[in-house]
Amino acid sequence: MAKRQIGVPTVLGKQLAAACVAALSLTAVMAIAPSSAAAQNPTNDDTTTQVRIVARKLENSKVEFALQPAETDGTWGERLLPQTRYFPPAAPTNRWLASSSLLVGIAKVRIVARKLENSKVEFALQPAQPDGTWGERLLPQTRYFPPNAPTNRWLASSPLTLQFSKSNQFTAITAGWAYSCAIRTDKTITCWGSNYTGQAVAPAGQFTAITTGSLHSCGLRTNKTITCWGDNEFGETKAPRGQFTAITAGSSHSCAIRTDKTITCWGSNSNLDDNYTGQAVAPAGQFTAITAGSYHSCGIRTNNTITCWGSNEFGQTKAPRGQFTAITASLLHSCGLRTNNTITCWGSNLSGRAEAPEGQFTAVTAGWDHSCAIRTDKTITCWGSNSDLDDNYTGQAVAPAGQFTAITAGSYHSCGIRTNRTIECWGNNDTGQAVAPAGRFTAITASGWHACGLRTNNTITCWGDNEYGQTEAPEGQFTAITTGSSHSCGLRTNNTITCWGDNEYGQTEAPEGQFTAITTGSSHSCGLRTNNTITCWGDNEYGQTEAPKGRFTAITTGSSHSCGLRTNNTITCWGDNEYGQTEAPEGQFTAITAGGWHACGLRTNNTITCWGDNEYGQTEAPEGQFTAITAGSSHSCGLHTDNTITCWGDNEYGQTKAPKGRFTAITTSNVHTCGIRTDGTITCWGRHNLRIV
């Protein structure tokens, strides 16, 4: 029998996630102004911006929502489309539903809407708070979408003014491989995007410069010392001692200019084929600027000429003659800004990445296979490829309108700092969901394509795929959470269970009574009652809900099987046994976990034993002592007694490449893993194709 994949989304159109339910008295209904109406002038205060909500009725009667920010010239910019943005015609009355989040600059907001008794749809805007929760709904004066609105015609609300905190303003930005980092005006660093080697976990402190490589980052502190973090396979984060004035990071190496203007490099000196390339062997002499590509580096000498070293397969180190004021290097090409403000690029010209446009510029940046520059009028121009390696359109070279003061290009995305010091990014955003929600958490759980966290205030926040409402966490306080394939469950502080999401097999129909623990499988759920007996509900195709009699202290569920830890510390499993996943080993255990078609147990001597499907080595537990275990679809992870994480099994999406650092809790799904660090923040790694709501 073929394995059933956990949590595969089957419907492209996602329903809006449920937000908080609140009654709001109706005022006089006002017609929505057409979106072509003249926009009001935005404020000149660089700590505020104006936006408006726009909506249109589709042919299937769903209402599609978007957000339009105001431009500096008083016009309305392009519509920002949240991934989850469709209001269903069959939505319940007077229940607020929410879109997925959007970034306006660096501020996170979401659109919320509810259907009224007169069939009109009322919408509002909710800004995210610093602690990761959602703030009060902002109600535009004109905010009602009429049921008889014309099809496919965008209508607009009246404007709303968003207040930006000074902490949301930035002075520097840099983009790496699928992630970005920026320096705030208070000189602290914020990173977002892919993070499975810890490259987006910025250290505390104040910095004056920041640089990102493929999987590592470095920052120049205010005391002129360097701190690096992320992947250190080749020593690329082992920054040398001393004081420096500039830093740069390549694929697996880093370079910096010392205060005496000499260059020091560290990290890898080879390419992917393990051929020596020498990108970390710095030349002698004095320099004023430096940049690192994947396997080559370049610097501007004190006489304004350029010297490059390292791999030269495509001519990327054959620097042109002349004088330059700025330089940038990427995978296979480099670009320089001449003293006359024109740009020259060299190296590989695949997709036109080295074909610099004419004109005068103040800054230039090179990405994987595209480049961008800021013209003297502060607008951005980009050139090169707009697709990724699979030829999917990503749009990294389609620059937004407006004025900017800084620019950076990553692999398949680009970011810029606007003149109001807010950030705008464009291009590929596949790993945006690796930015776990802000705030502090005490517990976390992940399933196929969604995850949930229990905050320190005992409320639940979920993110990821919401096809069946599995991220629509209910209000209230909880002590435990669990996620299944397309549903979620929480244990309330009064010991009752509430479940939400897909209910095709009754997996969210939690029984009455009081419980001490809960767990969810692919399409079934189980709870441990206060009398230590187990009750399961939902899909029972393989007998996975037929819990055995007896008393238990812990329970866990896999795809279609379940296991329980008895009061005598032995394990009993039931349900699907195609791969031997219910054939629990003998011995005494203190904890159990079940994955897709395998299970693992933590023995009383703190070692791990796994059994069941071993196609990817997911049952080959490493040696050592552990305090916690978790099993995903085809991989497993353990929390060592020193609070570090080791994972094993399927690593197709990097789900077993655990980041460095110390953690207090871990959870796995079929294609990604998440952990809570000792400071209470969340880090996730592996595959993430869905934005956080």
Side-chain angles (χ1 to χ4, degrees):
M1 182 188 72
K3 296 178 187 176
R4 293 192 298 173
Q5 199 168 15
I6 299 178
V8 179
T10 58
V11 180
L12 293 178
K14 304 283 193 288
Q15 287 193 350
L16 295 166
C20 52
V21 178
L24 183 64
S25 60
L26 279 175
T27 58
V29 174
M30 304 179 67
I32 294 185
S35 60
S36 58
Q40 298 182 16
N41 290 331
T43 176
N44 290 325
D45 186 351
D46 66 359
T47 63
T48 63
T49 188
Q50 281 194 322
V51 296
R52 66 180 184 181
I53 304 169
V54 294
R56 65 174 177 177
K57 185 169 72 175
L58 304 178
E59 293 180 356
N60 59 8
S61 295
K62 289 182 179 179
V63 178
E64 180 181 19
F65 289 99
L67 199 63
Q68 259 189 316
E71 300 289 355
T72 55
D73 60 1
T75 61
W76 291 106
E78 292 196 13
R79 289 184 290 271
L80 306 178
L81 299 171
Q83 185 174 22
T84 304
R85 62 180 183 273
Y86 300 104
F87 191 89
T93 302
N94 285 324
R95 183 185 181 191
W96 286 101
L97 305 181
S99 76
S100 49
S101 60
L102 284 167
L103 288 178
V104 181
I106 198 65
K108 187 165 73 170
V109 297
R110 68 180 183 181
I111 302 167
V112 295
R114 66 173 179 175
K115 186 170 70 174
L116 304 177
E117 293 180 357
N118 58 9
S119 295
K120 286 184 170 66
V121 177
E122 180 183 21
F123 48 81
L125 199 64
Q126 256 189 319
Q129 301 300 296
D131 63 359
T133 61
W134 292 103
E136 296 288 332
R137 289 184 288 272
L138 306 178
L139 301 171
Q141 186 176 23
T142 303
R143 62 181 184 272
Y144 301 102
F145 191 89
N148 59 351
T151 302
N152 286 324
R153 183 185 179 190
W154 287 100
L155 306 180
S157 75
S158 49
L160 285 168
T161 299
L162 293 179
Q163 185 75 28
F164 286 88
S165 166
K166 289 292 185 181
S167 64
N168 283 336
Q169 293 185 326
F170 298 82
T171 60
I173 190 168
T174 179
W177 177 266
Y179 76 105
S180 307
C181 294
I183 299 180
R184 297 183 184 273
T185 50
D186 63 2
K187 297 183 181 180
T188 61
I189 292 176
T190 295
C191 300
W192 60 98
S194 177
N195 190 42
Y196 70 88
T197 61
Q199 68 269 32
V201 182
Q206 290 186 311
F207 295 80
T208 59
I210 179 78
T211 182
T212 51
S214 291
L215 299 173
H216 76 289
S217 310
C218 294
L220 183 64
R221 295 188 179 272
T222 51
N223 64 359
K224 296 184 179 181
T225 62
I226 293 175
T227 297
C228 299
W229 59 97
D231 187 26
N232 192 43
E233 182 177 0
F234 301 98
E236 57 266 47
T237 64
K238 294 182 179 178
R241 296 180 179 179
Q243 290 188 313
F244 299 83
T245 60
I247 52 173
T248 185
S251 177
S252 300
H253 75 290
S254 309
C255 294
I257 299 179
R258 295 188 179 272
T259 51
D260 64 1
K261 298 184 180 180
T262 61
I263 291 177
T264 296
C265 298
W266 59 98
S268 175
N269 267 308
S270 303
N271 60 18
L272 281 177
D273 298 325
D274 206 27
N275 297 320
Y276 179 83
T277 44
Q279 62 267 29
V281 181
Q286 291 185 313
F287 292 79
T288 59
I290 192 168
T291 183
S294 289
Y295 308 110
H296 75 289
S297 309
C298 294
I300 298 180
R301 294 187 179 272
T302 51
N303 64 358
N304 292 333
T305 61
I306 292 176
T307 296
C308 298
W309 59 99
S311 176
N312 192 43
E313 183 179 1
F314 296 91
Q316 61 265 43
T317 63
K318 291 183 179 179
R321 296 180 179 180
Q323 293 187 314
F324 294 80
T325 59
I327 190 168
T328 180
S330 186
L331 174 65
L332 302 174
H333 77 291
S334 308
C335 294
L337 182 66
R338 294 186 180 272
T339 51
N340 64 358
N341 293 333
T342 62
I343 293 174
T344 298
C345 299
W346 59 98
S348 172
N349 193 37
L350 184 64
S351 304
R353 70 190 76 174
E355 295 178 4
E358 296 181 354
Q360 291 193 314
F361 299 84
T362 59
V364 62
T365 181
W368 181 276
D369 55 4
H370 75 290
S371 306
C372 294
I374 299 179
R375 295 187 181 274
T376 51
D377 63 0
K378 298 183 180 180
T379 60
I380 291 177
T381 296
C382 298
W383 60 98
S385 173
N386 268 308
S387 302
D388 61 16
L389 282 175
D390 297 323
D391 205 28
N392 298 314
Y393 179 82
T394 43
Q396 63 267 25
V398 181
Q403 292 184 312
F404 293 79
T405 59
I407 184 78
T408 184
S411 52
Y412 302 112
H413 75 292
S414 309
C415 295
I417 298 181
R418 292 189 177 273
T419 51
N420 65 358
R421 295 184 179 180
T422 60
I423 289 176
E424 180 161 348
C425 298
W426 58 99
N428 191 347
N429 192 41
D430 280 351
T431 56
Q433 71 289 338
V435 185
R440 295 169 63 86
F441 293 79
T442 59
I444 189 172
T445 180
S447 73
W449 281 267
H450 78 290
C452 294
L454 184 65
R455 294 187 180 275
T456 51
N457 64 359
N458 292 332
T459 61
I460 293 176
T461 295
C462 300
W463 61 97
D465 180 29
N466 193 41
E467 181 179 345
Y468 300 97
Q470 60 265 43
T471 64
E472 299 173 7
E475 295 181 346
Q477 290 190 313
F478 296 80
T479 59
I481 50 173
T482 181
T483 54
S485 175
S486 300
H487 75 291
S488 310
C489 293
L491 182 65
R492 294 187 180 274
T493 51
N494 65 358
N495 292 333
T496 61
I497 293 175
T498 298
C499 299
W500 58 98
D502 185 21
N503 194 40
E504 181 178 0
Y505 301 97
Q507 61 265 44
T508 64
E509 299 175 5
E512 296 182 353
Q514 291 192 313
F515 295 80
T516 59
I518 51 173
T519 181
T520 51
S522 178
S523 300
H524 76 290
S525 309
C526 294
L528 183 65
R529 294 187 180 273
T530 51
N531 65 358
N532 293 115
T533 62
I534 294 175
T535 298
C536 299
W537 59 98
D539 185 17
N540 193 40
E541 181 180 359
Y542 301 96
Q544 62 265 45
T545 64
E546 300 174 4
K549 295 180 180 181
R551 294 168 63 84
F552 295 80
T553 59
I555 51 174
T556 183
T557 51
S559 175
S560 302
H561 73 289
S562 308
C563 294
L565 183 65
R566 294 188 179 272
T567 52
N568 65 358
N569 292 333
T570 62
I571 293 175
T572 298
C573 299
W574 60 98
D576 184 19
N577 192 41
E578 182 178 2
Y579 300 94
Q581 60 265 45
T582 64
E583 299 173 5
E586 296 180 354
Q588 290 192 313
F589 295 80
T590 59
I592 52 172
T593 181
W597 298 270
H598 76 289
C600 295
L602 183 65
R603 294 188 180 271
T604 51
N605 65 357
N606 292 333
T607 62
I608 293 175
T609 298
C610 299
W611 61 96
D613 181 31
N614 193 41
E615 180 179 359
Y616 300 96
Q618 61 265 42
T619 65
E620 299 174 6
E623 296 181 354
Q625 291 196 314
F626 297 81
T627 59
I629 50 174
T630 180
S633 177
S634 300
H635 76 290
S636 310
C637 293
L639 184 66
H640 284 279
T641 51
D642 64 358
N643 294 114
T644 61
I645 293 175
T646 296
C647 300
W648 59 96
D650 185 18
N651 192 43
E652 181 178 2
Y653 301 103
Q655 61 265 44
T656 65
K657 197 169 185 179
K660 296 180 179 180
R662 297 181 181 274
F663 294 79
T664 60
I666 50 174
T667 184
T668 53
S669 80
N670 57 337
V671 290
H672 75 288
T673 311
C674 294
I676 298 181
R677 294 186 179 272
T678 51
D679 64 0
T681 60
I682 292 175
T683 297
C684 299
W685 58 98
R687 182 177 180 180
H688 301 270
N689 353 355
L690 294 169
R691 295 282 306 272
I692 293 173
V693 176

